[in-house]
Amino acid sequence: MTHSSRKEVQTVKLQISDGYKSFGAFDILEGAGLQVKGSEKIGLVGRNGAGKTTLLRIMAGEEDLDRGQVIVPKNVQVGTLSQITFSDLDRTVHEALLEVFEPLKQLERDMEALTRVLETDPSEANLEKFDRLQTEYQAKGGYEYEKELKTVFHHFGFSEEDLDRKLS
């Protein structure tokens, strides 16, 4: 068997089967199905009101289906980034993208503040609190978010220099 004819087994990263979602009398999704495998990239295109945002919210676990099944393995994180307008066009693209990670940045600030406290009060309670913060920070991707931001940014065809450009 040659390399070109060999099929790569890809792990399912997300699957929706026979999904239904209604808002009042309006059926938004009827029998929706979707499967994302391996490192696939997907695009969601449709007219306004077709259910794109609803489907994304369901994929991210922000909304539930009325019927059907959503399967997301425990090691897979799904997130959404809403379209927004920027009020401060003098900020860089990088600064704007970092806003998504504000909860992680707050954890960083909390850990830095507690580090300063630990210099004068290394009590068991403070050490335990720092350990809890660090565990939460790590579990939420705190040590990888900057790398993840840049990886996703580059996958969309932007260069490193684009991160330093003004939003304007």
Side-chain angles (χ1 to χ4, degrees):
M1 187 183 316
T2 65
H3 178 68
S4 61
S5 65
R6 196 178 326 166
K7 290 206 175 203
E8 182 180 328
V9 177
Q10 295 185 356
T11 306
V12 173
K13 300 288 185 182
L14 182 137
Q15 182 174 345
I16 296 177
S17 302
D18 201 27
Y20 287 82
K21 181 70 175 180
S22 298
F23 291 110
F26 297 100
D27 293 331
I28 304 297
L29 301 174
E30 297 180 61
L34 170 73
Q35 191 173 71
V36 181
K37 294 180 179 179
S39 60
E40 288 180 324
K41 314 282 186 285
I42 63 168
L44 195 54
V45 180
R47 62 177 170 69
N48 288 345
K52 300 180 300 293
T53 301
T54 300
L55 183 59
L56 288 171
R57 287 182 177 148
I58 289 167
M59 291 165 59
E62 297 171 7
E63 287 190 30
D64 294 323
L65 289 171
D66 295 334
R67 286 193 340 242
Q69 186 176 29
V70 179
I71 300 170
V72 181
K74 289 183 187 218
N75 65 332
V76 173
Q77 274 189 312
V78 178
T80 61
L81 178 61
S82 300
Q83 288 184 354
I84 55 174
T85 57
F86 299 104
S87 58
D88 182 2
L89 297 179
D90 288 330
R91 291 183 309 156
T92 66
V93 171
H94 189 241
E95 289 167 334
L97 291 174
L98 282 175
E99 283 184 13
V100 174
F101 300 100
E102 183 53 38
L104 284 172
K105 294 186 76 51
Q106 183 59 53
L107 279 172
E108 284 177 348
R109 290 188 293 272
D110 293 347
M111 288 182 351
E112 287 170 10
L114 192 51
T115 298
R116 288 189 295 278
V117 169
L118 284 167
E119 290 173 3
T120 58
D121 181 12
S123 67
E124 187 69 28
N126 284 336
L127 288 168
E128 286 177 12
K129 184 176 181 182
F130 186 84
D131 185 54
R132 281 193 308 273
L133 287 172
Q134 191 173 35
T135 299
E136 181 181 358
Y137 184 73
Q138 182 175 2
K140 292 182 176 179
Y143 294 108
E144 294 92 29
Y145 75 88
E146 183 79 34
K147 180 181 174 191
E148 181 182 339
L149 180 151
K150 289 181 180 181
T151 299
V152 170
F153 193 70
H154 292 117
H155 278 301
F156 280 104
F158 295 102
S159 70
E160 188 79 20
E161 295 77 34
D162 290 329
L163 284 169
D164 295 324
R165 294 180 65 185
K166 299 282 186 195
L167 289 173
S168 60

